[in-house]
């Protein structure tokens, strides 16, 4: 069973490519990034200007001082608090699926 959390980022297009989702299955959590994300969102959450600059192999999700970053971290923390074990967050974007 997978649980999907909408992180509150509004899509500008109906195709879903601008979406951000957190998907969790009890063992792992996945932060899925649509390939047409607004660079402002990427900057606010990851501190880089484009998805191409995010190294998903080594990326650590930091809590930066802005509402978007804080909201994603709040959701992750809440899910982790409901589990008896630590759940790793795996970041990937649509272009790499």
């Amino acid at each position: 069973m997978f649980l999907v959390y909408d992180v509150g980022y509004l899509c500008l297009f109906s195709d879903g490519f601008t979406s951000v989702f957190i998907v969790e299955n009890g063992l792992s959590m996945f932060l899925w990034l649509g390939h047409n994300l607004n660079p402002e969102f990427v900057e606010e959450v990851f501190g880089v200007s484009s998805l191409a600059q995010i190294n998903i192999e080594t990326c650590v999700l930091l809590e930066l001082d802005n509402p978007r970053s804080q909201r994603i971290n709040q959701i992750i923390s809440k899910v982790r608090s409901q589990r008896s074990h630590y759940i790793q967050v795996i970041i990937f974007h649509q272009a790499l699926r």
Side-chain angles (χ1 to χ4, degrees):
M1 177 171 147
F2 286 89
L3 300 175
V4 178
Y5 305 87
D6 184 347
V7 298
Y9 182 67
L10 299 177
C11 294
L12 300 176
F13 305 99
S14 61
D15 61 13
F17 297 135
T18 60
S19 299
V20 176
F21 295 100
I22 295 174
V23 181
E24 182 260 332
N25 66 4
L27 301 173
S28 297
M29 209 176 321
F30 305 92
L31 181 59
W32 183 91
L33 309 171
H35 69 76
N36 284 335
L37 274 180
N38 182 325
E40 181 181 316
F41 178 89
V42 176
E43 176 75 36
E44 288 181 1
V45 175
F46 296 100
V48 296
S49 59
S50 73
L51 282 176
Q53 293 177 304
I54 299 171
N55 182 342
I56 61 171
E57 301 290 324
T58 61
C59 185
V60 176
L61 190 61
L62 302 174
E63 186 167 346
L64 303 175
D65 189 23
N66 64 71
R68 286 181 176 157
S69 176
Q70 292 167 354
R71 178 69 180 137
I72 291 172
N73 280 281
Q74 287 170 352
I75 293 169
I76 290 170
S77 293
K78 182 166 178 94
V79 172
R80 284 179 171 161
S81 74
Q82 297 171 352
R83 303 292 178 256
S84 61
H85 59 282
Y86 182 82
I87 296 179
Q88 178 183 5
V89 176
I90 300 166
I91 300 169
F92 67 101
H93 53 79
Q94 188 171 16
L96 298 176
R97 63 183 173 134

